[in-house]
């Protein structure tokens, strides 16, 4: 879910569970399209205008609950959505995916392994105390500690040192060049700066209903009832322009029908991750709006090379050729989808290209078009030529994966392969990934960072769940990790994607998109894949 830079050791299953569980908990209900893609099915509505008025309270519905608010302890995507309003890193990521100042007003990299940050003069915690370099160093140390922060520690393994080098200066060093490290120091990565004194006063038990959070963002947590709600109140200590919304109440409503009913009754103003199957009902709510945008998620097939006959690249290519990706996007995702041309999403290349240029760039990756005759031809001479039976599982939180699996099963039947499709609880599904028994599976991954090496680095790098060791792939991943120029890095990662396509280690299916409901009178500025990962409360406005 966070940056998995290839220069780091193989990512442990715990981290993968966090990424996948986060995605599944949200039911990534609108997998993809959006800007530049197939787009949503909703008819366009008139543009809203910002009245400039303040809003007393906005009620937001999350499609899942939180047990702890600190991303180091609980690192699901909902935790990141919440933390984006409350805590900041040294840098931020804007609506276009570009790095911008946050707690650091400026930074420089005198060499590939050194980062020197200057803290802004007006950076304060929500209790009014100034942010000090010591607080930043302390926060980094806690984020790297596997006991204090199991959800973020892995992503800071390339951190060599963090030192106070001036009244407003922190110098951070890495063990090796790491192109994704700056992302790690943002609130979408691993660093959310807290106050050392607050942490120590709470004995490190932060993010709970008793200790809450101490941050530097535009909102402070004033109440937290796990499995119920959390309340955020606007503060006057933030360095940025004050948001128009005075209070945000986030209700945890896991049941999709309950969430829809609450919106129809006018009890909620914003709902994250509207399910595709209910999109038309949400669109009919009077004076409400449904907005769809790419969410940096990826869905694809994975093949375990230790399970025959999936160790044969021709078998893998045959199965990939039996997937009608266009039909899945058009019919299953109901127009809220985009066929994936690669593991990387177009938005992940925002440091190098705009969305249109990125799509053109990624179109150079060869893909397996839907062709059952080709699938039959590829199976000739393989162990699978006379057919075989296998199983694929999908999580009960991802019905669209199940429907895609059923579609694939129908097509594979025509080439002599029997695919049994089984719905299981998310924990059981996660356990089947790379278990050495299931040769065919789904990879469903939601990225918070949008780093282009995050997902393909995990799927194709050392210790991957497909159990293959490709030295060429590992070299490309390492080279991409050391490349500082965004376009050079993109070129290297394109080679990695082409290598994957040639061997069909994994087969891309679709890029994801999320659907958000906005109630009457509520608008959002700069709506993009990154909006809800930052201080999205500042983007809300009273519409007229």
């Amino acid at each position: 879910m966070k940056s998995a830079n290839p220069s780091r050791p193989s990512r442990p299953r715990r981290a993968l569970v966090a990424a996948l569980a986060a995605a599944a908990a949200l039911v990534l209900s609108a997998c993809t399209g959006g800007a530049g893609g197939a787009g949503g099915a909703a008819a366009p509505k008139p543009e809203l205008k910002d009245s400039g008025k303040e809003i007393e309270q906005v009620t937001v519905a999350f499609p899942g609950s939180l047990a702890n608010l600190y991303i180091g302890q609980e690192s699901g995507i909902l935790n990141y959505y919440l933390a984006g309003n409350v805590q900041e890193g040294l840098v931020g990521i804007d609506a276009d995916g570009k790095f911008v100042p946050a707690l650091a007003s400026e930074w420089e990299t005198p060499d590939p392994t050194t980062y020197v940050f200057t803290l802004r003069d007006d950076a304060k915690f929500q209790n009014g105390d100034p942010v000090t370099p010591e607080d930043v160093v302390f926060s980094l140390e806690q984020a790297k500690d596997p006991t204090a922060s199991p959800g973020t520690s892995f992503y800071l393994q390339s951190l060599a040192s963090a030192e106070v080098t001036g009244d407003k200066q922190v110098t951070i060093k890495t063990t090796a060049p790491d192109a994704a490290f700056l992302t790690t120091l943002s609130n979408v990565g691993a660093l959310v700066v807290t106050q050392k004194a607050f942490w120590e006063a709470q004995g490190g038990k932060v993010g709970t209903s008793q200790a809450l959070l101490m941050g530097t963002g535009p909102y402070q947590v004033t109440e937290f009832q796990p499995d119920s709600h959390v309340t955020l109140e606007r503060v006057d200590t933030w360095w940025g322009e004050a948001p128009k919304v005075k209070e945000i109440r986030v209700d945890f409503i896991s049941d999709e029908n309950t969430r829809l009913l609450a919106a129809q009754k006018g009890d909620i103003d914003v709902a994250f991750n509207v399910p595709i199957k209910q999109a038309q009902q949400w669109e009919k709510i009077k004076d409400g709006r449904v907005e769809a945008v790419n969410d940096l998620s990826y869905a694809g097939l994975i093949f375990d090379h230790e399970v025959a006959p999936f160790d044969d690249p021709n078998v893998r290519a045959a199965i990939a050729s039996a997937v009608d990706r266009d039909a899945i996007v058009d019919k299953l995702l109901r127009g809220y989808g985009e066929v994936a041309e690669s593991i990387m999403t177009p938005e992940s290349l925002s440091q190098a290209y705009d969305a249109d240029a990125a799509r053109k760039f990624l179109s150079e990756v060869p893909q397996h078009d839907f062709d059952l005759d080709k699938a039959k031809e590829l199976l000739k001479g393989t162990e699978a030529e006379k057919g075989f039976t296998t199983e694929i599982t999908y999580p009960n939180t991802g019905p669209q994966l199940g429907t895609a699996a059923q579609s694939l099963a129908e097509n594979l039947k025509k080439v002599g392969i029997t695919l049994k499709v089984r719905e299981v609880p998310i924990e059981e599904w996660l356990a089947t990934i790379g278990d050495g028994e299931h040769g065919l599976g789904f990879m469903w991954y939601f990225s918070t960072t949008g780093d282009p090496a995050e997902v393909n680095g995990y799927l194709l790098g050392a210790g991957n769940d497909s159990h293959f060791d490709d030295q060429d792939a590992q070299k490309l991943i390492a080279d991409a990790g050391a490349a500082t120029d965004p376009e050079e890095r993109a070129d290297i990662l394109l080679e990695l994607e082409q290598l994957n396509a040639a061997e069909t280690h994994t087969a891309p299916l679709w890029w994801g998109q999320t659907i958000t409901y906005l109630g009457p009178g509520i608008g959002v500025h700069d709506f993009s894949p990154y909006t809800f990962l930052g201080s999205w409360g500042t983007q809300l406005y009273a519409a007229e």
Side-chain angles (χ1 to χ4, degrees):
M1 185 177 64
K2 295 165 283 295
S3 179
N5 188 272
S7 65
R8 302 170 184 163
S10 173
R11 189 180 192 182
R13 174 167 295 278
R14 174 185 52 74
L16 172 64
V17 169
L20 294 174
L26 290 177
V27 193
L28 286 184
S29 302
C31 295
T32 149
K45 295 185 178 181
E47 290 297 320
L48 301 180
K49 294 182 180 179
D50 186 349
S51 68
K53 299 177 182 178
E54 290 198 332
I55 304 175
E56 289 297 320
Q57 184 190 64
V58 166
T59 300
V60 178
F62 273 10
S65 60
L66 304 179
N68 189 291
L69 303 180
Y70 172 48
I71 64 169
Q73 280 292 321
E74 184 175 297
S75 54
I77 186 62
L78 294 180
N79 300 78
Y80 274 80
Y81 285 165
L82 194 288
N85 276 322
V86 180
Q87 297 182 292
E88 299 174 288
L90 287 168
V91 299
I93 297 179
D94 68 11
D96 297 319
K98 301 292 194 303
F99 293 116
V100 294
L103 289 180
S105 58
E106 58 185 16
W107 62 91
E108 59 180 348
T109 52
D111 62 65
T113 62
T114 303
Y115 301 78
V116 181
F117 294 91
T118 301
L119 301 184
R120 58 173 69 248
D121 293 331
D122 53 353
K124 295 180 180 180
F125 289 107
Q126 288 140 356
N127 61 4
D129 292 342
V131 177
T132 68
E134 288 81 6
D135 290 314
V136 174
V137 171
F138 177 82
S139 297
L140 269 171
E141 290 171 347
Q142 299 311 309
K144 186 180 179 179
D145 185 326
T147 300
S149 306
T152 56
S153 59
F154 177 77
Y155 306 98
L156 286 165
Q157 288 192 14
S158 65
L159 173 65
S161 64
E163 298 180 350
V164 176
T165 51
D167 291 341
K168 290 288 183 178
Q169 189 179 85
V170 175
T171 298
I172 300 172
K173 293 183 178 291
T174 59
T175 56
D178 185 345
F181 189 70
L182 200 58
T183 304
T184 303
L185 300 181
S186 72
N187 69 299
V188 302
L191 179 63
V192 285
V193 175
T194 191
Q195 187 179 43
K196 180 180 179 180
F198 171 79
W199 181 287
E200 292 179 339
Q202 305 301 328
K205 305 296 184 181
V206 301
T208 66
S209 57
Q210 292 77 33
L212 303 179
L213 295 175
M214 178 61 68
T216 60
Y219 289 91
Q220 181 175 11
V221 179
T222 57
E223 182 183 27
F224 172 43
Q225 293 185 21
D227 299 326
S228 174
H229 69 277
V230 60
T231 303
L232 310 179
E233 291 187 5
R234 186 178 68 185
V235 295
D236 59 6
T237 53
W238 191 49
W239 53 267
E241 182 180 351
K244 296 297 184 182
V245 179
K246 294 182 179 180
E247 180 179 285
I248 299 175
R249 177 187 166 103
V250 178
D251 287 336
F252 308 141
I253 309 177
S254 300
D255 184 79
E256 57 191 35
N257 292 322
T258 302
R259 199 161 61 248
L260 173 61
L261 181 60
Q264 292 171 332
K265 292 170 59 180
D267 293 339
I268 59 176
D269 303 299
V270 181
F272 284 19
N273 298 83
V274 170
I276 287 178
K277 63 183 181 181
Q278 289 186 336
Q280 290 184 345
Q281 292 172 273
W282 285 82
E283 291 164 6
K284 293 177 181 178
I285 297 176
K286 185 178 180 181
D287 298 326
R289 299 169 67 88
V290 168
E291 302 282 358
V293 68
N294 288 22
D295 62 10
L296 305 173
S297 68
Y298 164 84
L301 295 175
I302 57 173
F303 306 93
D304 192 331
H305 292 219
E306 292 186 349
V307 179
F310 302 99
D311 54 341
D312 189 325
N314 283 339
V315 174
R316 300 194 297 266
I319 292 173
S321 299
V323 181
D324 191 345
R325 299 185 301 158
D326 289 321
I328 288 174
V329 167
D330 292 341
K331 297 177 182 178
L332 165 62
L333 304 182
R334 304 183 185 184
Y336 290 104
E338 185 173 3
V339 171
E341 297 291 342
S342 63
I343 303 170
M344 292 186 287
T345 65
E347 292 74 25
S348 72
L349 293 170
S350 60
Q351 299 290 336
Y353 303 108
D354 63 26
D356 290 338
R359 283 176 172 79
K360 182 177 180 180
F361 178 78
L362 293 174
S363 68
E364 297 180 25
V365 180
Q367 295 297 327
H368 296 286
D369 295 329
F370 177 52
D371 189 335
L372 293 180
D373 290 334
K374 180 181 178 182
K376 292 177 183 177
E377 189 67 27
L378 285 165
L379 291 174
K380 289 182 179 179
T382 71
E383 181 182 335
E385 182 176 5
K386 295 182 180 180
F388 67 97
T389 298
T390 191
E391 178 185 78
I392 190 170
T393 65
Y394 72 94
N396 54 3
T397 51
Q400 65 270 47
L401 295 176
T403 309
Q406 294 290 354
S407 172
L408 175 59
E410 288 297 315
N411 292 334
L412 288 177
K413 186 187 301 183
K414 299 173 184 177
V415 299
I417 298 174
T418 299
L419 178 63
K420 296 181 179 180
V421 179
R422 186 163 63 96
E423 178 186 275
V424 297
I426 180 175
E427 295 81 6
E428 183 178 345
W429 170 64
L430 288 167
T432 66
I433 297 174
D435 65 356
E437 298 179 7
H438 289 80
L440 177 62
F442 283 112
M443 174 55 62
W444 193 24
Y445 196 115
F446 188 99
S447 167
T448 60
T449 69
D451 185 83
E454 178 174 356
V455 187
N456 53 27
Y458 173 75
L459 291 179
L460 307 175
N464 61 74
D465 285 316
S466 293
H467 300 119
F468 69 88
D469 182 6
D470 191 315
Q471 293 300 311
D472 290 336
Q474 291 186 38
K475 183 179 185 306
L476 288 169
I477 291 170
D479 289 346
T484 56
D485 179 76
E487 289 192 19
E488 177 189 358
R489 190 169 184 234
D491 287 339
I492 296 170
L493 291 172
L494 184 69
E495 289 186 55
L496 178 66
E497 296 276 0
Q498 291 169 334
L499 180 152
N500 173 65
E503 296 295 324
T504 321
H505 292 310
T506 183
L509 296 179
W510 66 78
W511 291 318
Q513 187 178 60
T514 188
I515 306 176
T516 302
Y517 167 77
L518 302 172
I522 301 295
V524 180
H525 293 297
D526 299 327
F527 200 34
S528 83
Y530 297 93
T531 297
F532 294 123
L533 293 169
S535 52
W536 49 268
T538 66
Q539 300 294 324
L540 301 179
Y541 64 88
E544 59 180 9

